[in-house]
Amino acid sequence: MEKPLTITAVCGWALPPQWFHGLIEDSFPEAKINVLTPSQPSDNQEAEHLLKSTKADLYVGYSLGSLWLMTYQEMLPQASVKALLAPVLAFSRERNRGGKTAETKLKYLIRTLKRNPHDLSPLREFYSSTGINFSESWFKNVPDHKTLLNGLEFLQIAPVPQIEVQKFIALVGEEDGFLDGNELKRHLPQLEIVPDTGHAPGPLLNRLAKILDIASNG
């Protein structure tokens, strides 16, 4: 019996891991899936622990998760397939690496969450901007307040190490409201800009599944 594909996926900011797991399962129905939501994305020791305990054939980083995966890529098995969905090289527009969000807006969001941890309006606005259809039940399953803040601070300051990422599959939506695909392509020449697609992960996962099916049968 053929061994099932194993996938370790790193979640985007503020997404319920169970929901993300379900999307991956829709695109890779036979796979064994682990979803990671680092609580301290800047912590090397946490990254080492998470990646050692979830070795996989395929690693997928989505949005914030893509930045995390690139940051710790030296910890990934060389033989594994690695994919970046909505890859973040630098989230803020001022850093000129494909992000569209103004640094002042990112700082404002961090201040808002710090002042009022129970205010869910920033999350609702974020989900609306991504094009993700969410339900109020999500709020029971999003990461805790500290993890959300740590994630935003990671997006604000983390630089992508200047090491090879050319071997990563990279996909971004042509209509992504957070990322400029043409600017990203200057840094990731292998990037595929997916037409009629925004920031939401579902269509990007479907495209990845097709690419890997083509690769496996080609």
Side-chain angles (χ1 to χ4, degrees):
M1 187 174 180
E2 188 176 345
K3 180 184 173 186
L5 177 74
T6 55
I7 300 175
T8 291
V10 193
C11 211
W13 185 76
L15 295 181
Q18 301 95 321
W19 175 82
F20 192 47
H21 187 288
L23 286 184
I24 300 166
E25 201 168 36
D26 289 343
S27 296
F28 296 90
E30 304 299 324
K32 180 181 177 183
I33 303 159
N34 283 302
V35 172
L36 305 181
T37 302
S39 59
Q40 301 179 73
S42 299
D43 189 304
N44 285 50
Q45 289 186 325
E46 181 191 51
E48 186 175 10
H49 170 73
L50 289 173
L51 290 171
K52 274 186 175 179
S53 60
T54 55
K55 291 189 182 298
D57 306 310
L58 169 63
Y59 291 83
V60 178
Y62 166 66
S63 195
L64 182 152
S66 70
L67 178 59
W68 189 88
L69 208 59
M70 285 184 277
T71 301
Y72 301 110
Q73 62 185 280
E74 291 181 316
M75 299 181 185
L76 306 178
Q78 286 191 356
S80 62
V81 179
K82 305 158 187 81
L84 309 171
L85 309 183
V88 175
L89 301 179
F91 197 68
S92 65
R93 183 174 60 214
E94 289 79 358
R95 293 172 71 186
N96 299 313
R97 302 197 71 184
K100 290 182 178 179
T101 302
E103 180 76 17
T104 53
K105 185 170 183 178
L106 188 55
K107 288 179 178 178
Y108 174 77
L109 181 55
I110 291 171
R111 287 198 305 271
T112 301
L113 286 177
K114 282 182 176 177
R115 280 199 308 265
N116 191 350
H118 303 295
D119 181 3
L120 300 177
S121 60
L123 299 187
R124 290 189 179 93
E125 182 182 349
F126 169 72
Y127 298 141
S128 176
S129 300
T130 62
I132 293 171
N133 294 320
F134 73 97
S135 76
E136 291 294 316
S137 64
W138 274 31
F139 295 116
K140 296 182 292 186
N141 298 311
V142 296
D144 63 74
H145 179 249
K146 184 63 176 172
T147 298
L148 292 177
L149 278 174
N150 287 341
L152 287 177
E153 289 168 355
F154 181 68
L155 285 171
Q156 183 182 18
I157 65 171
V160 172
Q162 296 300 310
I163 52 180
E164 294 294 319
V165 291
Q166 275 75 19
K167 293 182 180 178
F168 282 65
I169 298 167
L171 303 171
V172 70
E174 183 180 37
E175 299 171 6
D176 193 309
F178 295 99
L179 300 169
D180 182 333
N182 292 320
E183 176 65 23
L184 276 172
K185 202 167 176 66
R186 292 178 56 237
H187 305 281
L188 296 170
Q190 77 276 30
L191 179 74
E192 178 182 331
I193 300 175
V194 184
D196 304 316
T197 299
H199 193 74
L204 298 173
L205 284 164
N206 290 338
R207 178 59 188 148
L208 176 63
K210 289 179 181 176
I211 289 171
L212 294 178
D213 186 58
I214 291 167
S216 63
N217 295 311

PDB file of all heavy atoms in Angstrom, residues 6 20 172 198:
ATOM      1  N   THR A   6       2.511  13.217   3.499  1.00  0.00           N
ATOM      2  CA  THR A   6       2.453  13.939   4.768  1.00  0.00           C
ATOM      3  C   THR A   6       2.693  15.426   4.498  1.00  0.00           C
ATOM      4  O   THR A   6       3.590  15.793   3.742  1.00  0.00           O
ATOM      5  CB  THR A   6       3.494  13.422   5.777  1.00  0.00           C
ATOM      6  OG1 THR A   6       4.794  13.474   5.181  1.00  0.00           O
ATOM      7  CG2 THR A   6       3.189  11.991   6.187  1.00  0.00           C
ATOM      8  N   PHE A  20      -8.224  25.899   8.518  1.00  0.00           N
ATOM      9  CA  PHE A  20      -7.135  25.768   7.540  1.00  0.00           C
ATOM     10  C   PHE A  20      -6.872  24.304   7.228  1.00  0.00           C
ATOM     11  O   PHE A  20      -6.670  23.926   6.070  1.00  0.00           O
ATOM     12  CB  PHE A  20      -5.882  26.458   8.088  1.00  0.00           C
ATOM     13  CG  PHE A  20      -4.785  26.642   7.076  1.00  0.00           C
ATOM     14  CD1 PHE A  20      -5.044  27.155   5.815  1.00  0.00           C
ATOM     15  CD2 PHE A  20      -3.477  26.318   7.410  1.00  0.00           C
ATOM     16  CE1 PHE A  20      -4.020  27.333   4.885  1.00  0.00           C
ATOM     17  CE2 PHE A  20      -2.449  26.493   6.505  1.00  0.00           C
ATOM     18  CZ  PHE A  20      -2.715  27.003   5.231  1.00  0.00           C
ATOM     19  N   VAL A 172       0.825  33.338  -5.784  1.00  0.00           N
ATOM     20  CA  VAL A 172       0.121  34.494  -5.229  1.00  0.00           C
ATOM     21  C   VAL A 172      -1.064  34.817  -6.128  1.00  0.00           C
ATOM     22  O   VAL A 172      -1.013  34.600  -7.343  1.00  0.00           O
ATOM     23  CB  VAL A 172       1.057  35.726  -5.107  1.00  0.00           C
ATOM     24  CG1 VAL A 172       1.412  36.298  -6.478  1.00  0.00           C
ATOM     25  CG2 VAL A 172       0.438  36.802  -4.223  1.00  0.00           C
ATOM     26  N   GLY A 198      -7.579  36.015  -5.004  1.00  0.00           N
ATOM     27  CA  GLY A 198      -7.160  36.996  -4.019  1.00  0.00           C
ATOM     28  C   GLY A 198      -6.218  36.391  -2.990  1.00  0.00           C
ATOM     29  O   GLY A 198      -5.409  35.516  -3.297  1.00  0.00           O
TER      30      GLY A 198
END
